[in-house]
């Protein structure tokens, strides 16, 4: 093999001196299987894989660095971006890492990269793509359900990306026993389908599925064209019909509520289809004690509290947010003023809080608001006394309920706070949720998904984001913490295996970096990582 700087090409020669083939770029390596070669061209900063006959098989952005330990992929480095990229041999980018490659870990599952100010450990992961809209984990968490608008089918996949079954219609719910599922078909007008694992043909129901009965022995559908709900047995026999769109079952599970949009009226029914009461507006929520309910009337903008017999008990101003934890009051929000109000159940306004309501404190004695005017969240007692303030918008309490997380769009950072307002850690990107073990969190950043320890150490990065432009929301982690799902777009997803879960990522990473930190103890202190791990 020779390389000419004049034309930037490598040449393969026979032992007799005859030219066999030419390849763009300088020769870098044979592939692990010995069946092709790798070159790199400075002209366009690309690496290429060729057959020995000179046919280009794949190209990769950046300069070739190393094959992955399993021989099924490779790494390149982009000088322009300062990034390492992981590729399949076919040329599909699988992940990217900021910094310069140093070495693979001894078990071949990770790599260490360095930047001027830090050393980081990342885990090599294969991605499995689902060219569908992802809807749910299976009940046993060993598979996924997706939906494709192109053919109107839902599909069941295992976690290796293998399709196990398909169903007509869009997935809506699993059955209460977890042994079946319900879809709604847009191609077959106004039909829901109940699929069981032991049968091929589904049971069909007129209307769109809206819920199972409390005892799990029936289901409710709604037909938009005739504005009617129906109660069915699981075998497909109609039990009763109700005027209006199904809203919810009553707290005692002996009746249900519907809403008729043409009248702007709600109706309370027995399960047999007998109307018990009617009231103005659409059901929002039952009271915590189950003895009344709130409605909102679109015709006059009124929020009202009713008894189950249909008698009006009180009215309130603003948009309903929540009942207080003790069930003795409600919170509403005023959009125009960006304030929240606490009301007694009798309709008396008691306290006004700056900002929009975001949630109650764990003890039920306070609440959190967020004011867009100054970009701050505030913690209040229910009597209106401000307890603490926090930079950014409140996004959730910590799993132990001893702190909270905010996000500031001004600097693109999420922050972890104590409940008294002390900042504990900051994280690049927007907070998307805690890991199942409660010991880490995930953010969406400009370049992908990042997992962090609660003390602010970066544990791993993945391509793709945890949300999409269309707002698809999905439980990103499996319950056991073994898998993470990211989105490339609305219909393309990646599933990542987290080995033994996030719980030991930091411990294993610190173990792999132990030699480096022994030789550079100042770096351990400067980076602030692995301080509680023995070296």
């Amino acid at each position: 093999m020779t390389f000419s700087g004049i034309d930037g090409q490598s040449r393969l020669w026979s032992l007799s001196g005859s030219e066999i083939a030419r390849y763009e770029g300088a020769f870098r390596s044979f592939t692990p299987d010995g069946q092709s070669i790798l070159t790199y061209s400075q002209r366009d900063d690309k690496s290429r894989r060729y057959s020995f006959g000179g046919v280009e098989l794949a190209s990769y952005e950046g300069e070739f660095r190393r094959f992955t330990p399993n021989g099924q992929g490779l790494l390149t480095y982009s000088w322009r971006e300062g990034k390492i990229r992981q590729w399949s041999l076919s040329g599909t980018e699988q992940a990217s890492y900021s910094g310069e490659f140093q070495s693979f870990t001894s078990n071949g599952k990770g790599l260490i990269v360095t930047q001027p100010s830090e050393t980081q450990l990342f885990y090599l992961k294969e991605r499995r793509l689902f060219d569908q809209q992802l809807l749910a984990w299976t009940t046993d968490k060993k598979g996924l359900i997706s939906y494709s608008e192109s053919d109107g089918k839902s599909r069941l996949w295992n976690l290796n990306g293998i399709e196990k079954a398909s169903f007509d219609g869009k997935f809506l719910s699993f059955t209460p026993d977890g042994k079946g599922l319900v879809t709604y078909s847009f191609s077959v007008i106004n039909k829901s389908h109940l699929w069981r694992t032991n049968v091929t043909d589904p049971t069909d129901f007129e209307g769109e599925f809206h819920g199972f009965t409390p005892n799990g022995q029936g289901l409710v559908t709604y037909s938009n064209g005739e504005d009617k709900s129906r109660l069915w047995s699981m075998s497909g026999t109609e039990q009763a019909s109700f005027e209006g769109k199904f809203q919810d079952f009553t707290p005692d599970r002996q009746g249900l509520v519907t809403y008729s949009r043409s009248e702007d009226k709600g109706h309370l029914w027995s399960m047999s289809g007998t109307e018990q009461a009617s009231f103005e507006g659409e059901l929002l929520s039952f009271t915590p004690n189950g003895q009344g309910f709130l409605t909102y009337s679109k015709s006059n903008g009124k929020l009202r509290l009713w008894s189950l017999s249909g008698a009006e008990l009180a009215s309130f101003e603003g948009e309903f947010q929540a009942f207080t934890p003790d069930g003795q009051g409600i919170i509403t929000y005023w959009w125009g003023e960006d304030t929240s109000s606490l009301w007694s159940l009798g309709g008396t306004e008691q306290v006004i809080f700056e900002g929009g309501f975001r949630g109650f404190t764990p003890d039920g004695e306070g609440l959190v608001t967020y004011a867009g005017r100054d970009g701050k969240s505030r913690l209040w007692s229910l009597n209106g006394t401000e307890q603490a303030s926090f930079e950014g918008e409140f996004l959730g309490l910590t799993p132990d309920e001893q702190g909270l997380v905010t996000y500031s769009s001004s600097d693109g950072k999420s922050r972890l706070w104590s409940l008294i307002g002390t900042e504990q850690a900051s994280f690049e990107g927007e907070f998307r949720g805690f890991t199942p073990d409660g010991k880490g969190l995930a953010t969406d950043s400009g370049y992908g998904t990042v997992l962090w320890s609660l003390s602010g150490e970066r544990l791993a990065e993945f391509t793709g984001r945890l949300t999409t432009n269309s707002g698809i929301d999905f439980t990103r982690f499996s319950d056991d913490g073994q898998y993470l799902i990211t989105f490339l777009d609305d219909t393309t997803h990646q599933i990542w295996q987290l080995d033994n879960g996030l719980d030991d990522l930091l411990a294993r990473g610190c173990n792999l970096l132990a030699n480096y930190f022994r030789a550079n103890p100042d770096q351990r202190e400067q980076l602030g990582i692995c301080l509680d791990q023995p070296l």
Side-chain angles (χ1 to χ4, degrees):
M1 186 76 68
T2 62
F3 172 69
S4 171
I6 298 175
D7 60 7
Q9 291 190 337
S10 295
R11 290 171 171 82
L12 179 64
W13 306 84
S14 69
L15 294 180
S16 63
S18 301
E19 182 178 325
I20 297 175
R22 296 186 182 188
Y23 317 91
E24 182 174 352
F27 171 78
R28 284 291 186 266
S29 175
F30 293 102
T31 53
D33 62 7
Q35 301 301 307
S36 55
I37 69 171
L38 258 294
T39 67
Y40 170 67
S41 174
Q42 290 184 335
R43 178 182 58 80
D44 57 4
D45 192 29
K46 283 190 176 182
S47 298
R48 291 174 172 84
R49 184 166 68 93
Y50 288 94
S51 69
F52 286 119
V55 177
E56 183 177 329
L57 304 175
S59 65
Y60 320 89
E61 183 179 347
E63 184 175 0
F64 170 74
R65 280 291 185 266
R66 197 75 61 86
F67 289 103
T68 54
N70 63 9
Q72 301 303 305
L74 56 87
L75 300 180
T76 63
Y77 179 70
S78 170
W79 294 95
R80 176 176 54 83
E81 297 178 303
K83 282 189 176 182
I84 287 287
R85 284 186 166 82
Q86 180 187 340
W87 307 83
S88 67
L89 289 182
S90 63
T92 301
E93 183 177 344
Q94 297 182 319
S96 65
Y97 316 91
S98 296
E100 174 62 283
F101 171 79
Q102 295 298 314
S103 67
F104 289 107
T105 58
S106 58
N107 63 7
K109 294 183 177 181
L111 70 157
I112 295 174
V113 300
T114 60
Q115 297 187 71
S117 61
E118 61 183 352
T119 297
Q120 298 180 59
L121 169 73
F122 299 101
Y123 284 83
L124 291 168
K125 302 294 172 187
E126 296 180 4
R127 73 182 184 189
R128 300 179 175 96
L129 303 181
F130 300 84
D131 190 17
Q132 313 274 326
Q133 180 183 347
L134 205 56
L135 298 178
W137 295 89
T138 54
T139 52
D140 61 7
K141 307 302 180 182
K142 295 181 179 179
L144 298 160
I145 298 289
S146 67
Y147 173 68
S148 172
E149 291 186 354
S150 61
D151 61 6
K153 288 181 180 289
S154 296
R155 288 174 170 83
L156 171 66
W157 308 80
N158 68 18
L159 295 183
N160 290 319
I162 298 173
E163 182 180 331
K164 308 298 290 185
S166 65
F167 313 90
D168 290 331
K170 184 174 184 178
F171 169 84
L172 295 179
S173 176
F174 290 105
T175 54
D177 61 10
K179 296 181 179 179
L181 57 85
V182 176
T183 64
Y184 177 70
S185 181
F186 296 92
S187 58
V188 179
I189 297 176
N190 202 35
K191 292 284 186 181
S192 294
H193 314 287
L194 174 63
W195 306 81
R196 291 289 188 178
T197 55
N198 60 341
V199 298
T200 302
D201 297 326
T203 302
D204 291 341
F205 305 86
E206 183 178 352
E208 183 176 359
F209 169 81
H210 272 246
F212 291 101
T213 55
N215 62 10
Q217 302 302 306
L219 58 84
V220 176
T221 65
Y222 172 67
S223 297
N224 185 61
E226 53 185 339
D227 195 25
K228 184 175 286 189
S229 298
R230 290 178 170 85
L231 176 65
W232 307 83
S233 69
M234 298 291 270
S235 63
T237 302
E238 183 176 336
Q239 307 289 308
S241 63
F242 314 88
E243 179 185 349
K245 184 176 183 179
F246 172 76
Q247 300 287 288
D248 199 356
F249 293 101
T250 55
D252 62 7
R253 303 313 192 201
Q254 300 303 305
L256 58 84
V257 176
T258 65
Y259 172 69
S260 177
R261 60 181 182 274
S262 60
E263 303 174 299
D264 191 26
K265 276 192 174 182
H267 305 273
L268 179 63
W269 308 84
S270 69
M271 298 292 276
S272 62
T274 302
E275 185 173 356
Q276 307 291 310
S278 64
F279 44 87
E280 184 179 350
E282 184 173 4
L283 173 73
L284 294 179
S285 176
F286 289 99
T287 56
N289 63 10
Q291 300 304 304
F293 54 91
L294 278 173
T295 66
Y296 174 72
S297 174
K298 295 178 181 178
S299 60
N300 57 27
K302 289 284 188 180
L303 183 66
R304 289 181 169 89
L305 178 65
W306 307 80
S307 69
L308 292 182
S309 63
E312 183 177 339
L313 303 177
S315 63
F316 313 87
E317 299 293 335
E319 180 179 323
F320 172 69
Q321 301 294 298
F323 285 98
T324 54
D326 62 6
Q328 300 304 302
I330 70 169
I331 303 292
T332 65
Y333 175 64
W334 298 75
W335 287 96
E337 300 179 15
D338 195 24
T339 59
S340 299
S341 296
L342 170 65
W343 304 77
S344 70
L345 292 186
T348 301
E349 186 176 27
Q350 298 180 323
V351 183
I352 298 176
F353 308 90
E354 181 180 355
F357 171 79
R358 290 294 185 269
F360 292 103
T361 55
D363 60 8
E365 298 298 321
L367 56 82
V368 179
T369 64
Y370 170 69
R373 174 185 56 79
D374 60 5
K376 286 188 176 183
S377 296
R378 290 174 171 83
L379 177 63
W380 308 82
S381 65
L382 290 185
N383 65 12
T385 302
E386 182 177 332
Q387 306 291 315
S389 65
F390 316 86
E391 181 182 349
E393 182 175 2
F394 171 79
L395 295 182
L397 292 167
T398 55
D400 63 4
E401 298 184 334
Q402 299 304 303
L404 57 85
V405 177
T406 65
Y407 172 70
S408 298
S409 57
S410 59
D411 62 4
K413 287 187 176 182
S414 297
R415 290 175 170 84
L416 177 65
W417 307 81
S418 70
L419 293 182
I420 61 174
T422 303
E423 183 177 336
Q424 307 291 308
S426 64
F427 317 87
E428 181 181 348
E430 186 169 359
F431 170 78
R432 296 302 188 195
F434 292 99
T435 55
D437 61 11
K439 297 180 180 180
L441 58 83
T443 65
D444 271 342
S445 67
Y447 46 82
T449 295
V450 183
L451 297 187
W452 308 82
S453 71
L454 294 186
S455 55
E457 291 92 17
R458 186 191 303 257
L459 300 182
E461 294 182 9
F462 306 90
T463 55
R465 296 170 63 82
L466 296 175
T467 56
T468 65
N469 291 332
S470 64
I472 294 175
D473 194 9
F474 182 79
T475 303
R476 296 102 177 177
F477 291 96
S478 59
D479 288 348
D480 59 9
Q482 298 296 305
Y483 296 93
L484 168 70
I485 290 181
T486 62
F487 295 77
L488 291 181
D489 53 43
D490 289 356
T491 61
T492 308
H493 319 282
Q494 300 174 114
I495 180 167
W496 308 83
Q497 188 171 359
L498 297 177
D499 298 319
N500 295 322
L502 187 68
D503 190 23
D504 70 342
L505 270 178
L506 181 59
R508 291 195 294 133
C510 291
N511 182 59
L512 290 167
L513 294 174
N515 289 335
Y516 174 84
F517 284 135
R518 290 191 191 101
N520 303 273
D522 57 321
Q523 283 292 297
R524 188 186 186 198
E525 297 293 333
Q526 182 178 336
L527 296 174
I529 63 175
C530 302
L531 297 177
D532 58 348
Q533 299 289 331
L535 297 180

